[in-house]
Amino acid sequence: AQKITQTQPGMFVQEKEAVTLDCTYDTSDQSYGLFWYKQPSSGEMIFLIYQGSYDEQNATEGRYSLNFQKARKSANLVISASQLGDSAMYFCAMREISSNYKLTFGKGTLLTVNP
Amino acid sequence: KAGVTQTPRYLIKTRGQQVTLSCSPISGHRSVSWYQQTPGQGLQFLFEYFSETQRNKGNFPGRFSGRQFSNSRSEMNVSTLELGDSALYLCASSLVGYLQETQYFGPGTRLLVL
């Protein structure tokens, strides 16, 4: 079974609009961490936002926020006021104790921001 | 603080050769992880080193190996290269590699095997 599932291979959004990128995860651990990364065409992975399994509040970092629904095992990334520079691949990832803390990635979502 | 650096950035090799990639973590970071990224398989974990010891290993053949030095710099080696080893190899570092720590990635090394 996939540990991290990103069901949207590609997404389009108009500049200045908000967009939600989906991520569901599978774990039996009580304690785990969820991460979102952005990968522009240059290839470098850029950390965006983190959510711990015990965090009661949804994480926010500037224009990025995480819609964390623990019972549904989902951790969707919301980007507000999209910019052209947001066009990139977005990866959801999870760290678990049972996997010896290794970071497991989803397949990614390619976001295209249209002017 | 300088970020994670990887050398070389691009590499072309032929089948059967071997290759060594280098990664320098962020100063103070002791955990270094390596990933292989291909269009077909996505991002796959290779291994993680902490304090010069391999702490975690992914499902890759023994042709893939690595090591970490006392200054936390890490190298990975691929012997007897195959066409399927063509990929972007990413290195990431974090303080000690615990649950809530962010891994910071380098720019990657693009390896092409002909």
Side-chain angles (χ1 to χ4, degrees):
Chain A
Q2 289 279 346
K3 283 279 186 181
I4 299 284
T5 303
Q6 294 181 253
T7 57
Q8 308 150 313
M11 287 281 285
F12 292 90
V13 66
Q14 288 299 121
E15 196 177 5
K16 299 179 186 174
E17 291 186 351
V19 63
T20 298
L21 306 183
D22 294 342
C23 172
T24 57
Y25 58 92
D26 181 26
T27 181
S28 302
D29 288 16
Q30 294 300 307
S31 185
Y32 50 89
L34 297 159
F35 302 80
W36 276 91
Y37 286 87
K38 169 185 177 182
Q39 187 179 41
S41 56
S42 60
E44 185 166 357
M45 298 285 282
I46 301 166
F47 166 71
L48 296 177
I49 197 166
Y50 164 79
Q51 179 85 44
S53 58
Y54 289 116
D55 294 342
E56 293 185 355
Q57 304 273 0
N58 285 340
T60 59
E61 288 284 351
R63 294 187 298 111
Y64 304 108
S65 61
L66 210 150
N67 184 358
F68 181 47
Q69 297 185 50
K70 192 170 179 178
R72 298 178 66 178
K73 293 188 175 176
S74 77
N76 299 337
L77 177 70
V78 181
I79 306 174
S80 63
S82 297
Q83 301 171 356
L84 296 178
D86 293 336
S87 293
M89 281 291 286
Y90 287 81
F91 291 94
C92 179
M94 177 172 65
R95 235 175 175 169
E96 315 163 270
I97 296 173
S98 61
S99 296
N100 210 12
Y101 303 103
K102 79 175 184 186
L103 200 56
T104 304
F105 286 86
K107 296 288 188 186
T109 296
L110 180 61
L111 177 67
T112 302
V113 181
N114 294 318
Chain B
K1 230 181 207 182
V4 179
T5 58
Q6 291 186 246
T7 55
R9 293 291 312 277
Y10 303 91
L11 209 46
I12 300 175
K13 292 284 188 179
T14 55
R15 277 184 302 171
Q17 287 186 310
Q18 75 163 16
V19 66
T20 299
L21 312 181
S22 180
C23 171
S24 292
I26 290 171
S27 178
H29 285 192
R30 292 161 60 195
S31 168
V32 175
S33 297
W34 288 90
Y35 298 85
Q36 182 196 64
Q37 185 176 25
T38 58
Q41 298 298 317
L43 274 152
Q44 293 187 281
F45 172 78
L46 279 156
F47 29 63
E48 184 219 356
Y49 285 88
F50 176 75
S51 290
E52 303 178 65
T53 301
Q54 188 180 87
R55 188 163 63 176
N56 209 349
K57 190 178 186 311
N59 294 324
F60 277 82
R63 299 184 298 107
F64 291 82
S65 63
R67 60 178 175 168
Q68 187 180 35
F69 302 94
S70 58
N71 61 357
S72 294
R73 190 178 70 85
S74 177
E75 288 182 348
M76 67 163 279
N77 184 276
V78 188
S79 63
T80 320
L81 283 166
E82 300 177 359
L83 296 179
D85 297 334
S86 294
L88 177 65
Y89 290 88
L90 291 162
C91 162
S93 77
S94 61
L95 277 169
V96 291
Y98 285 164
L99 202 64
Q100 71 280 16
E101 287 179 19
T102 297
Q103 284 192 351
Y104 294 94
F105 284 77
T109 295
R110 290 190 187 272
L111 171 65
L112 177 62
V113 182
L114 301 175

